[in-house]
Amino acid sequence: RLASAQEALDAGLLLVAEGGQWFWPPLRVGHVRALPDGLELETLSVQPVVYRVRGFLKDQECEEIVKLGAGRMVSSPVTLMDKDKGKAAKEFRTS
């Protein structure tokens, strides 16, 4: 079993993914895989596959994104269900 892409290169192997995108397979919720450049891939869900990429953005980059969005955020429109009529938006909104 190959443990890394470097092992495949050292062995002279060529990996080809046909008919879609390749991604790291999820092992179990909570599994953290170390990636190059100090990134970490944490499995949040196996089905559907959901990852958190730790180290993807630096704190300064996050602050810049928040700064760029400041003053531009508005609540999205929603359609009330019968059971929600008469309630404040914060009681039923999910976004």
Side-chain angles (χ1 to χ4, degrees):
R1 178 174 175 183
L2 297 171
S4 69
Q6 188 60 52
E7 283 186 29
L9 293 172
D10 292 343
L13 297 174
L14 174 65
L15 303 174
V16 178
E18 184 179 352
Q21 293 181 302
W22 184 88
F23 60 93
W24 288 104
L27 297 180
R28 67 186 175 286
V29 172
H31 177 73
V32 178
R33 182 185 311 271
L35 299 177
D37 298 327
L39 298 175
E40 292 181 335
L41 196 62
E42 177 187 1
T43 303
L44 301 179
S45 172
V46 173
Q47 184 63 32
V49 177
V50 178
Y51 296 112
R52 173 185 295 139
V53 182
R54 297 179 185 167
F56 181 71
L57 293 173
K58 296 177 178 80
D59 289 344
Q60 183 180 3
E61 293 169 318
C62 293
E63 291 169 10
E64 183 66 20
I65 291 170
V66 171
K67 181 177 149 187
L68 289 170
R72 298 179 185 199
M73 301 296 289
V74 296
S75 295
S76 58
V78 296
T79 302
L80 291 175
M81 296 176 67
D82 289 340
K83 65 181 181 72
D84 295 324
K85 290 185 178 172
K87 294 181 182 177
K90 65 181 179 182
E91 294 181 49
F92 62 86
R93 289 189 65 94
T94 59
S95 62

